[in-house]
Amino acid sequence: MQVKHFPTTVAAAYAVADRIAERLKATPKIVLGLATGVTMEPVYERLVALHRAGEISFANVTSFNLDEYVGLPPVDPRSYRSTMDSQLFDLVDIDKSRTFVPDGLVADPKAFGSRYEAMIREAGGIDLQLLGIGRNGHIGFNEPGADFAARTRVVDLEKSTLEANSAFFGGALPPTQAMTMGIGTILDSREIIVLATGATKRDAVRASLLGDITPDCPATALRRHPNVSWWLDAESGAGVASGSLAAE
Ligand code: GLP
């Protein structure tokens, strides 16, 4: 596990975008795992800029997003599908038929979860998974208590998560359930980049990197993966040393 520090939020996010761009240039058919949230906005902004500058093409990329709210249609501007379209997919040359976001409206979520997992496998697995982190240490929408072996499924969201994400809902609470890749799905990715910025993530970062490995802090599961890097700004990374740690 590698820990990298950057002086500012933008510097950390742009460095993550540059790393994704580097992987994309080396492997044009890369399978990306993508995340949403405020943290990712500057990452996508930079990727779009690199695309417009002619440096990268998404033409051969396949992508799988981590999660989606249950009950929001894809066209709802607050859905993660809409968010991805407006922040990245509609602004680059990606083939949208190869961009996958969990469906929050399916009648049979269990069947959908299995299908999503099968689609990831059929695409060859995720080469590079981009992750944010919740204030309570969640990854994707795997809240504290989630099984480290869990696969794509519907979960209940914690009150603190609903409150943290209420800004996207005009101050109202978001839907109380989400369809999310499981921690097991995430751990199957070949490389994982975690971007955490801002003071609200400091405790979760410290617990994830330095605390006991426990489902109480889902991101501690990442310590069992052989290829994870944490990209932190001054606020989120305070009190955490740079450098490499072996997987546990
Ligand atoms: C959200 C998403 C996660 C995201 C995290 C942090 O609820 N489900 O995928 O990484 O919580 O979000 P933000 O970047 O807005 O702080």
Side-chain angles (χ1 to χ4, degrees):
M1 193 166 67
Q2 279 196 351
V3 180
K4 298 166 187 280
H5 290 275
F6 297 87
T8 64
T9 302
V10 167
Y14 281 17
V16 164
D18 290 347
R19 168 73 185 150
I20 297 169
E22 191 185 298
R23 291 288 320 268
L24 190 50
K25 283 183 198 168
T27 310
K29 288 189 169 176
I30 197 165
V31 179
L32 294 175
L34 297 175
T36 45
V38 178
T39 312
M40 299 305 155
E41 289 175 10
V43 175
Y44 297 140
E45 181 191 285
R46 169 100 173 144
L47 286 173
V48 170
L50 289 171
H51 169 70
R52 288 189 173 150
E55 290 201 31
I56 51 172
S57 166
F58 291 79
N60 296 303
V61 168
T62 300
S63 71
F64 290 92
N65 262 77
L66 282 165
D67 45 22
E68 181 61 281
Y69 288 110
V70 167
L72 285 193
V75 293
D76 188 306
R78 301 162 304 180
S79 72
Y80 286 163
R81 158 54 76 184
S82 259
T83 304
M84 287 308 303
D85 285 351
S86 63
Q87 290 181 7
L88 184 67
F89 300 151
D90 286 343
L91 308 178
V92 297
D93 60 345
I94 203 163
D95 174 352
K96 276 178 79 177
S97 70
R98 285 206 307 271
T99 65
F100 302 100
V101 179
D103 186 338
L105 284 185
V106 283
D108 185 346
K110 221 173 164 171
F112 179 84
S114 309
R115 202 157 69 241
Y116 203 64
E117 295 282 334
M119 283 159 58
I120 294 172
R121 277 197 306 276
E122 279 157 22
I126 291 170
D127 293 308
L128 177 61
Q129 176 67 56
L130 180 59
L131 278 187
I133 186 169
R135 296 171 195 197
N136 59 5
H138 73 228
I139 49 176
F141 264 137
N142 294 279
E143 296 281 34
D147 193 311
F148 285 179
R151 314 303 305 194
T152 304
R153 69 208 183 290
V154 168
V155 296
D156 295 327
L157 300 178
E158 284 205 344
K159 191 159 172 271
S160 65
T161 299
L162 298 174
E163 285 166 0
N165 289 357
S166 65
F168 295 99
F169 289 79
L173 292 184
T176 57
Q177 289 190 312
M179 172 85 73
T180 182
M181 277 187 204
I183 296 176
T185 324
I186 292 168
L187 292 178
D188 282 348
S189 314
R190 293 183 187 91
E191 177 182 351
I192 299 174
I193 287 180
V194 190
L195 175 62
T197 53
T200 57
K201 304 295 172 67
R202 186 180 301 158
D203 291 347
V205 168
R206 278 185 64 92
S208 304
L209 293 172
L210 306 174
D212 292 339
I213 297 182
T214 163
D216 294 343
C217 180
T220 59
L222 301 173
R223 304 227 303 265
R224 303 235 166 104
H225 189 283
N227 191 7
V228 179
S229 52
W230 288 74
W231 304 59
L232 308 173
D233 68 0
E235 290 185 324
S236 66
V240 174
S242 306
S244 302
L245 290 168
E248 293 176 38

Short mmCIF file of all heavy atoms in Angstrom, two decimals, residues 1 133-138 148 201-223 230 232 236 238-240 245 248:
data_model
loop_
_atom_site.label_atom_id
_atom_site.label_comp_id
_atom_site.label_asym_id
_atom_site.label_seq_id
_atom_site.Cartn_x
_atom_site.Cartn_y
_atom_site.Cartn_z
N MET A 1 0.85 -1.19 0.00
CA MET A 1 0.00 0.00 0.00
C MET A 1 0.88 1.24 0.00
O MET A 1 1.83 1.31 0.77
CB MET A 1 -0.84 -0.02 1.27
CG MET A 1 -1.95 0.96 1.25
SD MET A 1 -3.12 0.58 2.56
CE MET A 1 -2.18 0.91 4.01
N ILE A 133 -13.85 7.91 -0.27
CA ILE A 133 -14.13 7.30 1.03
C ILE A 133 -15.18 8.13 1.74
O ILE A 133 -15.18 9.37 1.64
CB ILE A 133 -12.84 7.16 1.87
CG1 ILE A 133 -13.10 6.39 3.17
CG2 ILE A 133 -12.19 8.50 2.13
CD1 ILE A 133 -11.83 5.99 3.91
N GLY A 134 -16.09 7.46 2.44
CA GLY A 134 -17.08 8.19 3.23
C GLY A 134 -16.48 8.62 4.57
O GLY A 134 -15.45 8.09 4.99
N ARG A 135 -17.14 9.55 5.22
CA ARG A 135 -16.64 10.02 6.52
C ARG A 135 -16.59 8.90 7.54
O ARG A 135 -15.83 8.95 8.49
CB ARG A 135 -17.55 11.14 7.04
CG ARG A 135 -17.52 12.35 6.14
CD ARG A 135 -18.57 13.37 6.53
NE ARG A 135 -18.73 14.30 5.42
CZ ARG A 135 -19.29 15.48 5.51
NH1 ARG A 135 -19.78 15.89 6.67
NH2 ARG A 135 -19.38 16.26 4.46
N ASN A 136 -17.44 7.89 7.35
CA ASN A 136 -17.46 6.74 8.27
C ASN A 136 -16.62 5.58 7.74
O ASN A 136 -16.73 4.47 8.23
CB ASN A 136 -18.91 6.28 8.49
CG ASN A 136 -19.60 5.89 7.19
OD1 ASN A 136 -18.97 5.88 6.13
ND2 ASN A 136 -20.87 5.57 7.26
N GLY A 137 -15.80 5.85 6.72
CA GLY A 137 -14.92 4.81 6.19
C GLY A 137 -15.58 3.94 5.12
O GLY A 137 -15.00 2.95 4.70
N HIS A 138 -16.78 4.34 4.64
CA HIS A 138 -17.40 3.49 3.62
C HIS A 138 -16.66 3.61 2.28
O HIS A 138 -16.06 4.65 1.98
CB HIS A 138 -18.91 3.74 3.46
CG HIS A 138 -19.33 5.01 2.79
ND1 HIS A 138 -20.29 5.85 3.32
CD2 HIS A 138 -18.97 5.59 1.63
CE1 HIS A 138 -20.49 6.86 2.51
NE2 HIS A 138 -19.69 6.73 1.47
N PHE A 148 -16.60 -8.19 4.14
CA PHE A 148 -15.49 -7.94 3.20
C PHE A 148 -15.62 -8.78 1.93
O PHE A 148 -14.97 -8.51 0.94
CB PHE A 148 -14.15 -8.25 3.86
CG PHE A 148 -13.69 -7.20 4.85
CD1 PHE A 148 -12.50 -7.37 5.55
CD2 PHE A 148 -14.42 -6.03 5.08
CE1 PHE A 148 -12.04 -6.41 6.45
CE2 PHE A 148 -13.98 -5.07 5.98
CZ PHE A 148 -12.79 -5.26 6.68
N LYS A 201 -12.45 14.03 5.97
CA LYS A 201 -12.03 12.65 5.71
C LYS A 201 -10.85 12.22 6.58
O LYS A 201 -10.41 11.07 6.51
CB LYS A 201 -11.66 12.48 4.22
CG LYS A 201 -12.76 12.87 3.25
CD LYS A 201 -13.96 11.94 3.38
CE LYS A 201 -15.16 12.39 2.59
NZ LYS A 201 -15.00 12.35 1.16
N ARG A 202 -10.33 13.14 7.39
CA ARG A 202 -9.10 12.84 8.15
C ARG A 202 -9.25 11.62 9.06
O ARG A 202 -8.41 10.74 9.07
CB ARG A 202 -8.69 14.07 8.97
CG ARG A 202 -7.36 13.87 9.67
CD ARG A 202 -6.98 15.10 10.46
NE ARG A 202 -6.88 16.27 9.61
CZ ARG A 202 -6.98 17.54 10.03
NH1 ARG A 202 -7.19 17.79 11.30
NH2 ARG A 202 -6.86 18.54 9.19
N ASP A 203 -10.33 11.58 9.83
CA ASP A 203 -10.50 10.47 10.77
C ASP A 203 -10.66 9.14 10.03
O ASP A 203 -10.10 8.12 10.45
CB ASP A 203 -11.74 10.70 11.66
CG ASP A 203 -11.52 11.85 12.63
OD1 ASP A 203 -10.35 12.29 12.78
OD2 ASP A 203 -12.51 12.33 13.21
N ALA A 204 -11.41 9.17 8.94
CA ALA A 204 -11.61 7.93 8.18
C ALA A 204 -10.29 7.45 7.57
O ALA A 204 -10.01 6.25 7.54
CB ALA A 204 -12.65 8.15 7.08
N VAL A 205 -9.48 8.39 7.11
CA VAL A 205 -8.18 8.02 6.52
C VAL A 205 -7.28 7.41 7.59
O VAL A 205 -6.68 6.36 7.39
CB VAL A 205 -7.50 9.26 5.86
CG1 VAL A 205 -6.05 8.97 5.52
CG2 VAL A 205 -8.27 9.68 4.62
N ARG A 206 -7.22 8.06 8.74
CA ARG A 206 -6.37 7.54 9.83
C ARG A 206 -6.83 6.14 10.24
O ARG A 206 -6.02 5.23 10.40
CB ARG A 206 -6.45 8.46 11.05
CG ARG A 206 -5.54 9.66 10.97
CD ARG A 206 -5.60 10.43 12.28
NE ARG A 206 -5.07 9.61 13.37
CZ ARG A 206 -3.80 9.62 13.76
NH1 ARG A 206 -2.94 10.42 13.15
NH2 ARG A 206 -3.40 8.86 14.74
N ALA A 207 -8.14 5.98 10.42
CA ALA A 207 -8.67 4.66 10.84
C ALA A 207 -8.38 3.61 9.77
O ALA A 207 -8.03 2.47 10.08
CB ALA A 207 -10.17 4.76 11.09
N SER A 208 -8.51 4.01 8.51
CA SER A 208 -8.31 3.04 7.41
C SER A 208 -6.87 2.59 7.31
O SER A 208 -6.59 1.43 6.99
CB SER A 208 -8.70 3.67 6.07
OG SER A 208 -10.02 4.13 6.13
N LEU A 209 -5.95 3.51 7.57
CA LEU A 209 -4.54 3.18 7.39
C LEU A 209 -3.88 2.67 8.66
O LEU A 209 -2.96 1.86 8.60
CB LEU A 209 -3.78 4.43 6.89
CG LEU A 209 -4.17 4.89 5.49
CD1 LEU A 209 -3.54 6.23 5.16
CD2 LEU A 209 -3.74 3.85 4.47
N LEU A 210 -4.35 3.15 9.80
CA LEU A 210 -3.63 2.87 11.04
C LEU A 210 -4.43 2.04 12.05
O LEU A 210 -3.85 1.48 12.97
CB LEU A 210 -3.20 4.18 11.71
CG LEU A 210 -2.39 5.15 10.83
CD1 LEU A 210 -2.16 6.48 11.55
CD2 LEU A 210 -1.06 4.52 10.45
N GLY A 211 -5.75 1.97 11.89
CA GLY A 211 -6.58 1.26 12.88
C GLY A 211 -6.60 -0.24 12.63
O GLY A 211 -5.97 -0.75 11.70
N ASP A 212 -7.33 -0.94 13.47
CA ASP A 212 -7.50 -2.39 13.27
C ASP A 212 -8.24 -2.65 11.96
O ASP A 212 -9.12 -1.85 11.59
CB ASP A 212 -8.34 -2.99 14.41
CG ASP A 212 -7.60 -2.95 15.73
OD1 ASP A 212 -6.35 -2.84 15.71
OD2 ASP A 212 -8.27 -3.01 16.77
N ILE A 213 -7.96 -3.75 11.32
CA ILE A 213 -8.71 -4.15 10.12
C ILE A 213 -10.04 -4.73 10.60
O ILE A 213 -10.06 -5.77 11.26
CB ILE A 213 -7.92 -5.17 9.28
CG1 ILE A 213 -6.62 -4.52 8.76
CG2 ILE A 213 -8.77 -5.69 8.14
CD1 ILE A 213 -5.77 -5.41 7.88
N THR A 214 -11.11 -4.01 10.29
CA THR A 214 -12.43 -4.41 10.82
C THR A 214 -13.55 -3.90 9.93
O THR A 214 -13.44 -2.80 9.36
CB THR A 214 -12.62 -3.81 12.25
OG1 THR A 214 -14.02 -3.86 12.58
CG2 THR A 214 -12.18 -2.37 12.34
N PRO A 215 -14.65 -4.68 9.82
CA PRO A 215 -15.81 -4.20 9.05
C PRO A 215 -16.39 -2.89 9.62
O PRO A 215 -17.13 -2.21 8.92
CB PRO A 215 -16.82 -5.33 9.19
CG PRO A 215 -15.99 -6.54 9.47
CD PRO A 215 -14.82 -6.07 10.29
N ASP A 216 -16.03 -2.54 10.86
CA ASP A 216 -16.51 -1.25 11.40
C ASP A 216 -15.96 -0.09 10.58
O ASP A 216 -16.52 1.01 10.60
CB ASP A 216 -16.05 -1.07 12.86
CG ASP A 216 -16.70 -2.09 13.77
OD1 ASP A 216 -17.71 -2.69 13.34
OD2 ASP A 216 -16.19 -2.30 14.89
N CYS A 217 -14.84 -0.30 9.91
CA CYS A 217 -14.30 0.71 8.99
C CYS A 217 -14.01 -0.02 7.68
O CYS A 217 -12.94 -0.61 7.49
CB CYS A 217 -13.02 1.32 9.56
SG CYS A 217 -12.31 2.56 8.44
N PRO A 218 -15.01 -0.02 6.76
CA PRO A 218 -14.91 -0.84 5.55
C PRO A 218 -13.61 -0.64 4.76
O PRO A 218 -13.07 -1.60 4.19
CB PRO A 218 -16.14 -0.41 4.73
CG PRO A 218 -17.12 0.02 5.78
CD PRO A 218 -16.31 0.68 6.86
N ALA A 219 -13.09 0.59 4.74
CA ALA A 219 -11.88 0.84 3.93
C ALA A 219 -10.65 0.12 4.48
O ALA A 219 -9.65 -0.01 3.78
CB ALA A 219 -11.61 2.34 3.83
N THR A 220 -10.71 -0.39 5.72
CA THR A 220 -9.56 -1.16 6.21
C THR A 220 -9.38 -2.45 5.41
O THR A 220 -8.30 -3.02 5.41
CB THR A 220 -9.67 -1.50 7.72
OG1 THR A 220 -10.88 -2.26 7.95
CG2 THR A 220 -9.67 -0.24 8.58
N ALA A 221 -10.43 -2.91 4.74
CA ALA A 221 -10.32 -4.11 3.89
C ALA A 221 -9.27 -3.91 2.81
O ALA A 221 -8.65 -4.88 2.34
CB ALA A 221 -11.67 -4.42 3.24
N LEU A 222 -9.05 -2.67 2.43
CA LEU A 222 -8.10 -2.39 1.34
C LEU A 222 -6.67 -2.78 1.75
O LEU A 222 -5.82 -2.96 0.89
CB LEU A 222 -8.15 -0.91 0.95
CG LEU A 222 -9.53 -0.42 0.46
CD1 LEU A 222 -9.50 1.09 0.27
CD2 LEU A 222 -9.91 -1.12 -0.84
N ARG A 223 -6.42 -2.91 3.03
CA ARG A 223 -5.08 -3.29 3.49
C ARG A 223 -4.75 -4.74 3.12
O ARG A 223 -3.61 -5.17 3.21
CB ARG A 223 -4.94 -3.05 5.00
CG ARG A 223 -5.25 -1.60 5.40
CD ARG A 223 -4.23 -0.99 6.33
NE ARG A 223 -4.02 -1.71 7.55
CZ ARG A 223 -4.64 -1.45 8.73
NH1 ARG A 223 -5.51 -0.45 8.81
NH2 ARG A 223 -4.35 -2.14 9.78
N TRP A 230 -3.04 5.49 -1.76
CA TRP A 230 -3.88 6.52 -1.16
C TRP A 230 -3.31 7.88 -1.55
O TRP A 230 -2.11 8.13 -1.35
CB TRP A 230 -3.86 6.38 0.37
CG TRP A 230 -4.62 5.20 0.86
CD1 TRP A 230 -4.23 3.89 0.78
CD2 TRP A 230 -5.90 5.21 1.51
NE1 TRP A 230 -5.20 3.08 1.35
CE2 TRP A 230 -6.23 3.87 1.81
CE3 TRP A 230 -6.80 6.22 1.86
CZ2 TRP A 230 -7.41 3.51 2.44
CZ3 TRP A 230 -7.97 5.86 2.50
CH2 TRP A 230 -8.28 4.53 2.78
N LEU A 232 -3.65 11.79 -0.89
CA LEU A 232 -4.21 12.62 0.18
C LEU A 232 -3.78 14.07 0.05
O LEU A 232 -2.67 14.35 -0.43
CB LEU A 232 -3.72 12.08 1.53
CG LEU A 232 -3.94 10.57 1.78
CD1 LEU A 232 -3.26 10.13 3.07
CD2 LEU A 232 -5.43 10.24 1.79
N SER A 236 -6.62 15.91 4.70
CA SER A 236 -7.03 14.52 4.95
C SER A 236 -5.86 13.68 5.44
O SER A 236 -6.04 12.69 6.14
CB SER A 236 -7.59 13.89 3.67
OG SER A 236 -6.58 13.78 2.69
N ALA A 238 -3.18 14.61 7.29
CA ALA A 238 -2.45 15.03 8.49
C ALA A 238 -2.32 13.86 9.46
O ALA A 238 -3.30 13.18 9.74
CB ALA A 238 -3.17 16.20 9.16
N GLY A 239 -1.11 13.61 9.92
CA GLY A 239 -0.92 12.54 10.90
C GLY A 239 -0.69 11.17 10.31
O GLY A 239 -0.58 10.18 11.03
N VAL A 240 -0.64 11.09 8.97
CA VAL A 240 -0.38 9.80 8.33
C VAL A 240 0.92 9.93 7.54
O VAL A 240 1.07 10.86 6.75
CB VAL A 240 -1.53 9.43 7.37
CG1 VAL A 240 -1.21 8.18 6.60
CG2 VAL A 240 -2.83 9.27 8.13
N LEU A 245 3.54 0.37 2.55
CA LEU A 245 3.28 -0.63 3.59
C LEU A 245 2.91 -1.91 2.86
O LEU A 245 2.21 -1.88 1.85
CB LEU A 245 2.07 -0.21 4.44
CG LEU A 245 2.23 0.98 5.38
CD1 LEU A 245 0.85 1.40 5.90
CD2 LEU A 245 3.13 0.60 6.55
N GLU A 248 -1.60 -6.70 4.32
CA GLU A 248 -1.63 -7.49 5.58
C GLU A 248 -2.42 -8.77 5.41
O GLU A 248 -3.26 -8.86 4.59
CB GLU A 248 -2.26 -6.64 6.69
CG GLU A 248 -1.36 -5.47 7.01
CD GLU A 248 -1.98 -4.52 8.05
OE1 GLU A 248 -2.62 -4.98 8.99
OE2 GLU A 248 -1.77 -3.32 7.88
#
